């Protein structure tokens, strides 16, 4: 017997890759075969993030009224436009003892086995930019109670914005390039704080450091494309054809207030 839950659509800001809760769903079920009452089981799914050694990890937090042995499977598709989709990560049949009260299940998509899959470009964009590739993500979680054989499916949909988030490594590269440099006493240089950036028009300020920004993008293995539209400057980043994020500024406004 399978219980399907209504899909939840959420807008994500991608500012905290490791700890964004994208779903909170209450399951009312007899997970442990109790006949006299229905246990509650709450699920909270985080965005995937990079752990130690750049491993692709995802934490699924839960709160259960009872303990049970179960199997969890997670599958996620990325939709860039329309109905065009790509499987980006998957974990099939991970056994777990679900404890009573609040706990978590950790999924490691970097394991090399037949039950685990990660799309290389998706993983590389996360490593090279510090953020998830923009687009809509649809994640399916299937939970099976080993004792009762009951199954519960959860479908979650969330969108990652195209603009590079504040903590992005690529945005940090741009910020460090536009900071004015001053000679130190021993002849080296250092970057001043962002607040000291002069009120140049953004277009002029970025033009001065365009080569430096492009070199840093190449060092990260990213392709950089710059263009202008409606008084704004856009810098798009790609990894092997996959859109990795965008830097956007109003060209006539001061850059220091847009970094």
């Amino acid at each position: 017997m399978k219980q399907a839950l209504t899909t939840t659509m959420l807008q994500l800001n991608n500012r905290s890759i490791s700890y964004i809760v994208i779903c909170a769903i209450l399951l009312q079920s007899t997970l442990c075969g109790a006949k006299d009452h229905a246990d509650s089981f709450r699920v909270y799914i985080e965005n995937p993030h990079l752990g130690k050694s750049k491993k692709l990890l995802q934490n699924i937090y839960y709160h259960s009224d009872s303990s049970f042995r179960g199997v969890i499977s997670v599958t996620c598709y990325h939709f860039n436009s329309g109905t065009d989709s790509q499987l980006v990560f998957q974990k099939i049949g991970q056994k777990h003892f679900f404890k009573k009260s609040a706990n978590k299940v950790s999924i490691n998509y970097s394991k090399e086995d037949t039950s685990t899959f990660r799309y290389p470009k998706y993983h590389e964009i996360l490593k090279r930019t510090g953020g998830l590739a923009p687009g809509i993500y649809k994640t399916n979680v299937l939970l099976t109670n080993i004792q009762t054989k009951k199954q519960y499916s959860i479908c979650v949909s969330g969108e990652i914005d195209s603009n590079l988030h504040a903590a992005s490594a690529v945005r940090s590269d741009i910020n460090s390039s536009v900071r004015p440099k001053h000679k130190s006493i021993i002849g080296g240089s250092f970057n001043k704080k962002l607040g000291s950036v002069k009120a140049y028009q953004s277009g002029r300020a970025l033009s001065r450091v365009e080569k430096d920004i492009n070199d840093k993008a190449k060092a990260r293995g990213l392709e950089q494309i710059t263009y202008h539209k409606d008084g704004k400057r856009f810098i798009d980043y790609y990894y092997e054809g996959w859109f990795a994020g965008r830097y956007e500024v109003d060209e006539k406004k001061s850059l220091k207030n847009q970094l």
Side-chain angles (χ1 to χ4, degrees), residues 214-240:
N214 190 48
D215 288 344
K216 288 179 178 179
K218 288 181 179 179
R220 290 187 179 277
L222 300 172
E223 179 186 3
Q224 175 180 302
I225 298 177
T226 301
Y227 58 99
H228 312 265
K229 184 179 180 181
D230 299 330
K232 292 185 177 182
R233 176 176 297 209
F234 300 89
I235 305 176
D236 287 356
Y237 292 92
Y238 291 84
Y239 174 73
E240 294 187 358

Side-chain angles (χ1 to χ4, degrees), residues 22 47-48 56-58 74-80 84-91 107-111 115-126 131-140 156 158 160 242-243:
I22 65 173
N47 277 342
L56 180 61
L57 307 173
Q58 184 176 35
V74 184
T75 303
C76 182
Y77 288 87
H78 172 273
F79 292 78
N80 196 24
D84 183 30
S85 66
Q86 168 66 53
L87 176 65
V88 287
F89 59 84
Q90 184 178 56
K91 184 71 175 182
I107 309 294
N108 181 359
Y109 299 108
S110 293
K111 287 189 174 181
S115 65
T116 308
F117 172 81
R118 66 184 180 281
Y119 186 54
K121 291 183 182 180
Y122 171 87
H123 193 197
E124 287 298 323
I125 287 174
L126 185 54
L132 298 176
I136 294 175
Y137 291 84
K138 291 187 179 180
T139 304
N140 294 288
V156 183
I160 296 296
W242 252 49
F243 183 45

Side-chain angles (χ1 to χ4, degrees), residues 17-29:
I17 298 305
S18 298
Y19 297 102
I20 296 179
V21 174
I22 65 173
C23 180
I25 297 176
L26 172 64
L27 302 182
Q28 294 291 344
S29 60

Side-chain angles (χ1 to χ4, degrees), residues 19-249:
Y19 297 102
I20 296 179
V21 174
I22 65 173
C23 180
I25 297 176
L26 172 64
L27 302 182
Q28 294 291 344
S29 60
T30 54
L31 286 173
C32 290
K35 298 180 179 180
D36 56 340
H37 71 283
D39 293 332
S40 67
F41 188 82
R42 296 177 177 87
V43 179
Y44 303 86
I45 308 174
E46 283 184 349
N47 277 342
H49 64 280
L50 294 179
K52 294 180 180 179
S53 303
K54 301 296 184 180
K55 291 181 178 179
L56 180 61
L57 307 173
Q58 184 176 35
N59 292 325
I60 299 177
Y61 292 90
Y62 67 88
H63 187 285
S64 178
D65 283 351
S66 58
S67 299
F68 65 97
R69 295 188 181 279
V71 176
I72 189 169
S73 296
V74 184
T75 303
C76 182
Y77 288 87
H78 172 273
F79 292 78
N80 196 24
S81 61
T83 58
D84 183 30
S85 66
Q86 168 66 53
L87 176 65
V88 287
F89 59 84
Q90 184 178 56
K91 184 71 175 182
I92 301 298
Q94 177 170 311
K95 293 182 179 180
H96 186 79
F97 181 71
F98 292 88
K99 299 178 181 179
K100 183 178 179 179
S101 192
N103 284 281
K104 72 175 180 179
V105 184
S106 292
I107 309 294
N108 181 359
Y109 299 108
S110 293
K111 287 189 174 181
E112 303 295 341
D113 55 44
T114 57
S115 65
T116 308
F117 172 81
R118 66 184 180 281
Y119 186 54
K121 291 183 182 180
Y122 171 87
H123 193 197
E124 287 298 323
I125 287 174
L126 185 54
K127 288 194 293 185
R128 293 165 190 268
T129 70
L132 298 176
I136 294 175
Y137 291 84
K138 291 187 179 180
T139 304
N140 294 288
V141 179
L142 178 63
L143 174 65
T144 303
N145 184 317
I146 294 177
Q147 179 182 348
T148 66
K149 307 302 181 183
K150 286 189 175 182
Q151 292 184 318
Y152 301 87
S153 63
I154 303 167
C155 180
V156 183
S157 181
E159 182 173 4
I160 296 296
D161 188 73
S162 59
N163 288 327
L164 295 166
H165 64 95
S168 167
V170 176
R171 182 173 286 274
S172 295
D173 286 345
I174 297 173
N175 291 345
S176 65
S177 294
V178 297
R179 291 189 187 105
K181 294 181 174 61
H182 290 262
K183 292 290 184 179
S184 68
I185 296 176
I186 58 175
S189 65
F190 63 92
N191 288 325
K192 295 180 69 176
K193 293 181 178 180
L194 288 177
S196 65
V197 176
K198 294 182 179 180
Y200 294 124
Q201 289 185 348
S202 298
R204 178 186 170 192
L206 288 173
S207 293
R208 290 171 53 249
V209 296
E210 187 169 0
K211 184 180 182 303
D212 186 40
I213 292 174
N214 190 48
D215 288 344
K216 288 179 178 179
K218 288 181 179 179
R220 290 187 179 277
L222 300 172
E223 179 186 3
Q224 175 180 302
I225 298 177
T226 301
Y227 58 99
H228 312 265
K229 184 179 180 181
D230 299 330
K232 292 185 177 182
R233 176 176 297 209
F234 300 89
I235 305 176
D236 287 356
Y237 292 92
Y238 291 84
Y239 174 73
E240 294 187 358
W242 252 49
F243 183 45
R246 173 177 295 137
Y247 183 85
E248 174 186 339
V249 294

